[in-house]
Amino acid sequence: MERRINGHTGLLALFGTPVGHSGSPAMYNFSFQHDGLDYAYMAFDVNVEQMPAVFDSIRLFNMRGGNFTMPCKNIAAELVDKLSPAAEIIGACNVFVNDAGVITGHITDGVGFVKNLEVNGVDVKGKKTVVLGAGGAATAIQVQLALDGASEVAIFNIDDEFYSRAESTKEKLAARCPECKVTVEHLEDKEALAAAVNNADIVINATIMGMKPHEDVTLIDKSLFRKDLVVADTVYNPEKTKMILEAEEAGCQAIGGKGMLLYQGVVNYSLFTGKDFPIEEYQKFQA
Ligand code: NAD
């Protein structure tokens, strides 16, 4: 590393709080070194109030790009110069790229999720989908499914503070992607959920249920699983949730959340460098 960093090295960074646990510096620095790129990636613990100063620093140090995590994703979308279509619809960004002083904000959770389906042989175009959840991950996935040509996105959420976000996503998508039919229903309505799953090609869990410490919970009754249904989870801890295990038992194509995490990084790396992320080498490095 000490030989790699020099007077020309370009800086990228993660901003938010907390950031100490993040795997991003290791992932990107490994890849920059592997690809012989003169960049270094750091993590800076900052809060929302400090974000205007963060943007001054990004410009002052001519940073190439980086990431925003909680709680800074929404304020970041107000401070960038341009937004990707998904980031504009959602009003948040987790990635920025600085092209000759013009800073563009992207949101790549949904792109990473769809890319992971794609590498597993699942094309979302024209597909009827059910998405459980209306939080950060769910909203990004719903928007990306609509942008990528899914024919239906049926959103189910419990009656909590996220429900109104689902209704707002429906309204925004009606204006931006009118060819995609978006519906919002209560997750407590088991009959409506069963009807939607029976009608769907792809069912996605983007809630916190199934994740530790809720690993014994699954929101879809396994009797609804059929062999031609794709069942995907955003949860990656545990790697195979109860829902994924039950979907596998029923003979469905079941896709866990670990790939979504990886492919977000893959997509971000291409945005930063224009290159393909060295997936196999990184997986060996991690093992
Ligand atoms: P969030 O806090 O923004 O949203 C939480 C969601 O869970 C809401 O829709 C909420 O209504 C729902 N929920 C909470 N309690 C529930 C209950 N008892 N029953 C049903 N639904 C309930 O969270 P987020 O950041 O969007 O994360 C959601 C999930 O996505 C998490 O499991 C997280 O691990 C996963 N995630 C995965 C990746 C990845 O790369 N694989 C990335 C981001 C998030």
Side-chain angles (χ1 to χ4, degrees):
M1 181 63 92
E2 54 278 12
R3 278 206 205 111
R4 203 170 76 70
I5 307 290
N6 62 63
H8 302 283
T9 303
L11 181 63
L12 295 94
L14 169 67
F15 297 100
T17 186
V19 292
H21 64 286
S22 171
S24 295
M27 177 179 183
Y28 294 116
N29 286 321
F30 167 83
S31 312
F32 295 148
Q33 183 151 13
H34 176 273
D35 285 348
L37 297 174
D38 196 6
Y39 290 125
Y41 190 107
M42 301 285 288
F44 297 115
D45 200 300
V46 296
N47 57 39
V48 169
E49 291 69 38
Q50 292 169 307
M51 285 296 281
V54 164
F55 271 76
D56 286 345
S57 310
I58 290 170
R59 292 179 203 283
L60 181 66
F61 299 143
N62 193 26
M63 290 179 60
R64 168 61 189 148
N67 296 90
F68 302 112
T69 187
M70 295 308 292
C72 299
K73 292 184 186 186
N74 295 91
I75 179 85
E78 291 172 24
L79 294 167
V80 293
D81 300 316
K82 286 187 354 191
L83 287 167
S84 72
E88 191 200 327
I89 295 171
I90 295 165
C93 57
N94 69 325
V95 173
F96 71 96
V97 179
N98 181 356
D99 287 308
V102 179
I103 300 173
T104 304
H106 300 260
I107 189 142
T108 55
D109 307 62
V111 189
F113 178 83
V114 169
K115 182 92 188 146
N116 185 40
L117 291 188
E118 202 181 294
V119 298
N120 280 285
V122 179
D123 181 1
V124 302
K125 202 166 173 51
K127 297 286 167 35
K128 295 175 182 169
T129 65
V130 170
V131 185
L132 311 183
T139 305
I141 290 169
Q142 288 147 10
V143 168
Q144 202 60 43
L145 288 170
L147 287 171
D148 287 349
S151 62
E152 288 184 25
V153 178
I155 306 174
F156 284 83
N157 205 81
I158 57 170
D159 193 7
D160 66 0
E161 71 274 19
F162 290 96
Y163 193 85
S164 59
R165 200 194 288 193
E167 288 179 320
S168 149
T169 302
K170 178 183 163 180
E171 262 174 47
K172 289 182 197 165
L173 289 176
R176 291 294 298 262
C177 305
E179 61 294 341
C180 179
K181 180 183 166 198
V182 181
T183 55
V184 181
E185 288 182 88
H186 287 98
L187 189 53
E188 293 88 344
D189 185 345
K190 296 298 167 209
E191 256 177 49
L193 179 61
V197 174
N198 286 333
N199 174 54
D201 303 299
I202 307 170
V203 171
I204 299 152
N205 173 45
T207 73
I208 56 168
M209 303 319 280
M211 182 171 79
K212 283 182 181 171
H214 308 291
E215 64 264 44
D216 295 335
V217 182
T218 176
L219 298 173
I220 310 246
D221 195 291
K222 63 181 178 184
S223 65
L224 294 172
F225 291 151
R226 11 168 261 276
K227 284 193 169 54
D228 62 342
L229 185 68
V230 174
V231 177
D233 213 327
T234 56
V235 175
Y236 54 87
N237 184 18
E239 202 170 318
K240 284 192 182 184
T241 57
K242 187 173 180 196
M243 182 184 80
I244 289 292
L245 290 169
E246 289 183 349
E248 278 180 355
E249 263 173 44
C252 304
Q253 182 173 1
I255 302 171
K258 210 176 158 196
M260 172 184 177
L261 192 64
L262 174 67
Y263 279 98
Q264 266 182 72
V266 168
V267 169
N268 298 350
Y269 191 72
S270 296
L271 288 170
F272 299 147
T273 67
K275 284 181 172 283
D276 291 337
F277 182 79
I279 296 179
E280 277 176 29
E281 292 82 351
Y282 176 64
Q283 283 173 332
K284 272 187 219 145
F285 163 72
Q286 265 193 318

